[in-house]
Amino acid sequence: MFSWLGTDDKRRKDPEVFQTVSEGLKKLYKTKLLPLEDYYKFHEFHSPALEDADFDNKPMVLLVGQYSTGKTTFIRYLLEQDFPGMRIGPEPTTDSFIAVMQGDVEGIIPGNALVVDPKKPFRKLNAFGNAFLNRFVCAQLPNPVLESISVIDTPGILSGEKQRISRGYDFAAVLEWFAERVDRIILLFDAHKLDISDEFSDVIKALKNHEDKMRVVLNKADQIETQQLMRVYGALMWSLGKIVNTPEVIRVYIGSFWSHPLLIPDNRKLFEAEEQDLFRDIQSLPRNAALRKLNDLIKRARLAKVHAYIISSLKKEMPSVFGKDNKKKELVNNLGEIYSRIEREHQISPGDFPNLRKMQDQLQGQDFSKFQPLKSKLLETVEDMLANDIAQLMVLVRQEESQRPMQMVKGGAFEGTLHGPFGHGYGEGAGEGIDDAEWVVARDKPMYDEIFYTLSPVDGKITGANAKREMVRSKLPNTVLGKIWKLADIDKDGMLDDEEFALANHLIKVKLEGHELPNELPSHLLPPSKRKLTE
């Protein structure tokens, strides 16, 4: 349990007592940030108020992509079982948002019932109306993967003439709502369809400010040859570079995420390595969930502060009696100048401001006379939260992480490659010969022995200086060769006998072939004569 006392006039006289990060976030939001949001109508412009379920829910993964890119199949692959409401096909089959969540029995909860359930983090979706709620369901089923995460399947993004047909609700706004609350956003692309339609472009732009959550999957990559795959990958990176405005290159995972045989197995090793990287990223979500919620609250607080300055500035500029309409038009048109003034006066980063054009559109329908003037006390409370309370919560986050066992997503596809011969890299590199009765180094030992006896062994051993002269011929850095020496010098006498020298050369070969060295020598690599020493 953590508690801390305020030491200045701005802080509370009673101690803040937070037993968990989730409880702390809820209290800080309701007592310090929510009053500022309500006072300046933050929820009408940006995002609905947060509820307890938003802080308590499991990590969520949002899947986004054009139709027939394999979003629903990807979920089926992770869970290794069908889920209620699942439809797969080459045409736009998934026409609903489906929240795939843990439940004791299989079943579907329709959208209108879902948004009145206080235990689910979807109550604020009610604002998008019946047209959306009729296209929103929750698929519940018992599954070990869903004990740690929830997955949101989305309708396929349309292209061509189809994208001109209205969905009846603001699709990009719904995705933006989810993006604020999920832990990971996965954009799926089909290796055969890289064109980014207008609707898809709008969606990616709506996900702006959430680039840190975004990952890209180039799916169905087993259906094209290696040379074509390189071209497709380059074309995808070029297309994304024009839409995702970040200086960093977005992470792209290449693979084929379904349980069918690979059509072109040439890149099998690449697909396995990419799949393991993606799985590790998803598996880490429960461990980092509290930190993500804390980060999102900080982002929200910074936006709420800027919003308060904008609204209060507009209120200050408005005349009290005559010419309100003309002044309103003038202020909306000159909003960019107001942004610049606020930026200078309050030393606020340009990146903290909301989108200018979107803000101008929203202000058109607002009554400026109902805006509130600057209330310093509310802003000081939020500043105090960011400066003091958040720092204390960070300590609690680390404390919770150290007290809990390693939290990882388990079950489904995550179990298939953890253990046994189909684990990634099993029987390769330092793992070569793991199941062999014979010492794997013995295959090349005659060749290593020839070199060994040219290095002037004394009493069957060569000195470190002589061994170094031979090992540096590999051109590996000294840090790597030093690690190899530590692994190979099993009896720690500062010298190498013929078996230890052979082992050192075997590890050099492993490294030169592009594999990582183990931190500790695996038992199958121990020379036969040294196995009694380690028992």
Side-chain angles (χ1 to χ4, degrees):
M1 183 185 294
F2 277 69
S3 67
W4 56 89
L5 282 164
T7 55
D8 57 14
D9 294 336
K10 299 173 194 172
R11 311 267 307 158
R12 292 183 176 189
K13 292 179 181 177
D14 297 328
E16 297 269 18
V17 181
F18 299 146
Q19 293 186 337
T20 64
V21 175
S22 177
E23 180 199 326
L25 290 170
K26 280 187 268 189
K27 277 191 180 178
L28 289 179
Y29 177 70
K30 287 177 183 175
T31 60
K32 300 199 171 185
L33 184 54
L34 186 57
L36 180 75
E37 292 183 356
D38 285 337
Y39 193 69
Y40 291 106
K41 298 186 174 185
F42 179 87
H43 309 130
E44 293 181 26
F45 288 84
H46 304 290
S47 173
L50 300 177
E51 298 195 327
D52 286 355
D54 291 308
F55 297 104
D56 295 332
N57 68 307
K58 296 170 188 171
M60 292 193 288
V61 178
L62 177 69
L63 297 183
V64 181
Q66 297 185 170
Y67 69 91
S68 193
T69 52
K71 296 184 298 297
T72 308
T73 307
F74 182 86
I75 300 174
R76 166 84 185 66
Y77 183 70
L78 288 185
L79 303 183
E80 292 189 341
Q81 74 177 94
D82 293 348
F83 57 88
M86 183 182 89
R87 289 176 62 213
I88 296 173
E91 73 282 4
T93 47
T94 303
D95 62 348
S96 302
F97 282 80
I98 304 177
V100 186
M101 307 181 83
Q102 174 72 9
D104 295 333
V105 292
E106 285 195 21
I108 287 182
I109 304 172
N112 281 291
L114 199 56
V115 295
V116 295
D117 185 350
K119 294 181 180 178
K120 297 279 193 298
F122 306 122
R123 281 160 60 95
K124 296 298 181 180
L125 283 169
N126 192 47
F128 292 103
N130 271 331
F132 166 71
L133 295 178
N134 291 335
R135 290 279 181 269
F136 179 44
V137 297
C138 174
Q140 289 192 320
L141 68 156
N143 186 282
V145 174
L146 299 176
E147 290 174 8
S148 305
I149 60 171
S150 302
V151 188
I152 312 295
D153 193 11
T154 61
I157 293 169
L158 304 175
S159 60
E161 287 298 318
K162 296 189 192 74
Q163 64 186 321
R164 292 176 177 81
I165 302 169
S166 172
R167 294 181 186 268
Y169 60 90
D170 192 338
F171 182 66
V174 173
L175 282 177
E176 189 175 359
W177 186 94
F178 276 109
E180 288 178 0
R181 289 157 177 80
V182 300
D183 296 71
R184 188 65 74 237
I185 302 165
I186 297 180
L187 302 178
L188 278 101
F189 288 86
D190 184 334
H192 289 97
K193 305 189 292 196
L194 285 187
D195 59 309
I196 297 179
S197 66
D198 292 344
E199 188 177 43
F200 200 3
S201 179
D202 291 342
V203 163
I204 295 175
K205 287 172 183 172
L207 301 179
K208 193 187 175 194
N209 300 326
H210 303 289
E211 288 92 349
D212 57 317
K213 300 179 181 180
M214 284 168 57
R215 304 290 185 270
V216 174
V217 169
L218 180 57
N219 202 13
K220 305 183 184 180
D222 66 316
Q223 298 177 14
I224 53 178
E225 301 281 353
T226 304
Q227 188 178 15
Q228 289 176 304
L229 181 59
M230 294 301 294
R231 289 173 180 158
V232 166
Y233 178 79
L236 175 60
M237 297 300 287
W238 180 80
S239 299
L240 287 171
K242 293 200 300 181
I243 299 172
V244 183
N245 294 317
T246 57
E248 303 85 11
V249 176
I250 196 164
R251 178 67 164 98
V252 177
Y253 299 90
I254 304 170
S256 182
F257 295 91
W258 66 345
S259 53
H260 294 263
L262 298 176
L263 290 180
I264 301 172
D266 299 1
N267 298 306
R268 184 185 187 104
K269 280 195 175 182
L270 170 66
F271 298 158
E272 287 175 358
E274 293 284 282
E275 182 182 279
Q276 286 302 310
D277 285 352
L278 178 59
F279 280 7
R280 272 195 293 270
D281 186 63
I282 296 172
Q283 283 182 299
S284 70
L285 294 180
R287 192 168 65 249
N288 301 325
L291 203 56
R292 193 275 305 167
K293 288 169 185 169
L294 185 63
N295 185 56
D296 283 355
L297 186 71
I298 295 168
K299 280 202 285 189
R300 189 182 180 98
R302 291 167 72 95
L303 179 60
K305 267 177 53 190
V306 173
H307 178 78
Y309 285 127
I310 295 169
I311 297 300
S312 59
S313 293
L314 294 172
K315 173 68 175 178
K316 186 179 176 182
E317 297 287 337
M318 283 296 286
S320 55
V321 183
F322 300 112
K324 290 185 179 181
D325 288 343
N326 288 335
K327 188 63 176 177
K328 175 181 172 180
K329 287 178 185 175
E330 180 190 327
L331 289 171
V332 171
N333 290 334
N334 296 332
L335 189 61
E337 294 176 16
I338 295 172
Y339 274 20
S340 299
R341 191 175 72 244
I342 293 170
E343 185 185 328
R344 286 193 308 272
E345 288 178 5
H346 301 284
Q347 288 83 49
I348 295 171
S349 166
D352 287 350
F353 285 82
N355 180 274
L356 179 62
R357 187 171 294 176
K358 184 179 176 185
M359 192 70 176
Q360 286 173 322
D361 291 342
Q362 289 172 318
L363 286 169
Q364 298 286 0
Q366 293 287 335
D367 183 355
F368 283 23
S369 64
K370 293 183 179 177
F371 287 173
Q372 300 292 343
L374 193 66
K375 194 170 183 180
S376 299
K377 189 176 179 183
L378 287 174
L379 284 160
E380 286 168 4
T381 303
V382 173
E383 287 282 4
D384 177 58
M385 179 190 86
L386 291 170
N388 299 297
D389 297 311
I390 294 295
Q392 295 288 350
L393 269 183
M394 277 296 297
V395 176
L396 188 51
V397 167
R398 298 303 178 202
Q399 184 74 9
E400 280 191 5
E401 285 179 354
S402 64
Q403 287 176 350
R404 291 178 182 174
M406 286 288 283
Q407 290 181 300
M408 291 183 74
V409 182
K410 296 179 180 177
F414 299 100
E415 294 291 317
T417 57
L418 274 182
H419 307 291
F422 294 99
H424 179 60
Y426 187 92
E428 299 173 6
E432 183 185 356
I434 190 169
D435 295 324
D436 294 354
E438 184 187 355
W439 188 39
V440 66
V441 183
R443 298 173 192 169
D444 297 319
K445 191 169 180 295
M447 178 177 66
Y448 301 141
D449 282 349
E450 286 183 21
I451 302 169
F452 179 79
Y453 289 110
T454 66
L455 298 174
S456 310
V458 177
D459 296 331
K461 295 193 174 188
I462 58 172
T463 62
N466 286 344
K468 177 182 176 181
R469 198 162 55 245
E470 177 60 32
M471 290 169 70
V472 293
R473 291 187 181 181
S474 65
K475 299 181 182 177
L476 288 171
N478 283 348
T479 51
V480 175
L481 293 174
K483 184 173 184 179
I484 290 171
W485 174 272
K486 283 180 70 176
L487 292 169
D489 185 16
I490 292 159
D491 53 15
K492 308 301 178 193
D493 63 352
M495 305 177 81
L496 299 182
D497 63 19
D498 60 325
E499 288 183 330
E500 290 172 329
F501 180 75
L503 174 60
N505 278 278
H506 178 75
L507 292 172
I508 287 172
K509 183 179 121 186
V510 165
K511 187 63 183 174
L512 291 174
E513 288 175 350
H515 302 286
E516 290 301 315
L517 294 171
N519 291 320
E520 293 184 8
L521 193 69
S523 57
H524 71 278
L525 287 183
L526 277 169
S529 66
K530 302 287 191 299
R531 288 177 185 174
K532 289 181 181 178
L533 292 176
T534 58
E535 288 177 359

